[in-house]
Every structure is written in structure tokens, then in C-alpha cells.
Amino acid sequence: MTAEASEIVLSKQDLREVAAFAAACAEGALDIFEADQPGDSRPRDAVTAAWEFARGGERGRALRDTASAALKAAKSVDTAAAREAAWAAMSAAGAAYLHPLAKATQVKHILGAGAYAARAAELVAGDDRGVAAGHLEQAVRHATPVVVDVLTRFPSAPCGGGRVGELIRMLDADLRALRHGPPSGAA
């Protein structure tokens, strides 16, 4: 068996920390979705379910169902920003299902909510990349040492994925750098 296919040990507490991180990242994008679809609570329900799991709830069908519902909500929106916001919510609920496989593709389960939320904000701001960078900085502040530890058990984020993939790789690099201390000049 190759190292790429090896299994990573993940405790339920590790998954709870990852879900809390993802929920914190996605929460900021809910207003973007709700501005487009004010009567649709599916993304908010997904983030709420992620928080419930993070705080000790079960990782069961209800959590999966809210992730699926947020994905369906993404297909019903009028703007790309709202779609990205719904995907952030879906990613938050899905973070609890991080697979213990040492594959780079699993990094999206950890960082997807942050990247989709950053992209949603970037789109609302007229594709202003500085706005996305600010959201990624906020995401880094949400990351606990456990989240950073879990992330570094996996290979670095893979190539591809368009702008969201690029944001995932940026967030991945920023969080992995925390293992070595803050960047020089950081407060």
C-alpha cells in the first residue's frame, strides 16, 4: 500500500474541531446567500447542524441531509456569489465526514467552507481578490491548533479546482505555516 492510500487516525474530537472551523468559516457567507434567497434556510440549517455536531451532537443522517439540502439550495440561486455561499454551508456540514485517507483531495473537506465563503465575498465585491484574502486571514484566525494538526496529517491541497481550488491552496499554505510559527512581522 502506498503512502498516498494510507489511513490517518482521526478521533471524533478531531472531526468536531474541523466541523467547528468549517462552520465558523461558512457562517459569514450566510448573509450573501440569504440576500439572494431570503426564504431559504437550507444553508443556515447546514451550518447550524455543523455547529451542533461540533458541540457534541451526533454525526448522523440529519447532518448529511442538511449538507445535501444546502447543495440543492446552491442550484436554486440567482447569483454565483449565493451559489458559493451555499457551497460553503454544504462544506461545513460535510466537514464532519472527513475521510481518514491520506489523500490530498481530503483537504477540501477541511478547507472547503473557508474557500467557498471567501470566493462568495470576493464575487460580491466585484471579484476583488483582496476581499478573499481578508476572508482567508479570518479563517486562519478560526483555526485551532487541533485543526492545524489534522490538516498537516494530510498531503497538501491538490492542483486544480479553479478559483476555489486556488483559495484552498492559499489557506492550506497559510495554516501549514502555523506549524512553524507565525510569519515574520506578524503580531
Side-chain angles (χ1 to χ4, degrees), residues 4-5 7-8 27 45 51 53 55 85 100 119 127 130-131 148 154 157 172 180 185:
E4 180 69 17
E7 194 162 299
I8 293 172
E27 216 165 33
D45 295 343
W51 277 121
F53 170 71
R55 293 178 178 137
R119 179 63 177 146
D127 230 4
V131 170
V148 174
F154 290 87
D172 184 41
H180 307 290

Side-chain angles (χ1 to χ4, degrees), residues 5-133:
S6 66
E7 194 162 299
I8 293 172
V9 176
L10 294 171
S11 70
K12 189 170 262 190
Q13 187 55 39
D14 289 340
L15 295 174
R16 290 186 194 289
E17 293 265 351
V18 167
F21 169 73
C25 290
E27 216 165 33
L30 291 173
D31 289 343
I32 295 169
F33 177 84
E34 291 166 350
D36 187 86
Q37 300 290 315
D40 191 342
S41 68
R42 293 176 292 181
R44 185 167 294 278
D45 295 343
V47 172
T48 298
W51 277 121
E52 287 172 3
F53 170 71
R55 293 178 178 137
E58 291 303 311
R59 187 177 76 157
R61 183 176 180 156
L63 185 58
R64 282 188 190 269
D65 288 349
T66 62
S68 178
L71 180 61
K72 289 176 184 170
K75 296 176 182 178
S76 69
V77 298
D78 296 327
T79 67
R83 182 179 58 249
E84 301 287 341
W87 282 342
M90 180 270 306
S91 295
Y97 295 98
L98 172 64
H99 300 292
L101 299 174
K103 293 187 173 187
T105 54
Q106 291 304 306
V107 171
K108 188 173 181 180
H109 285 290
I110 303 168
L111 306 179
Y116 282 120
R119 179 63 177 146
E122 180 178 75
L123 287 167
V124 166
D127 230 4
D128 182 344
R129 290 181 175 233
V131 170

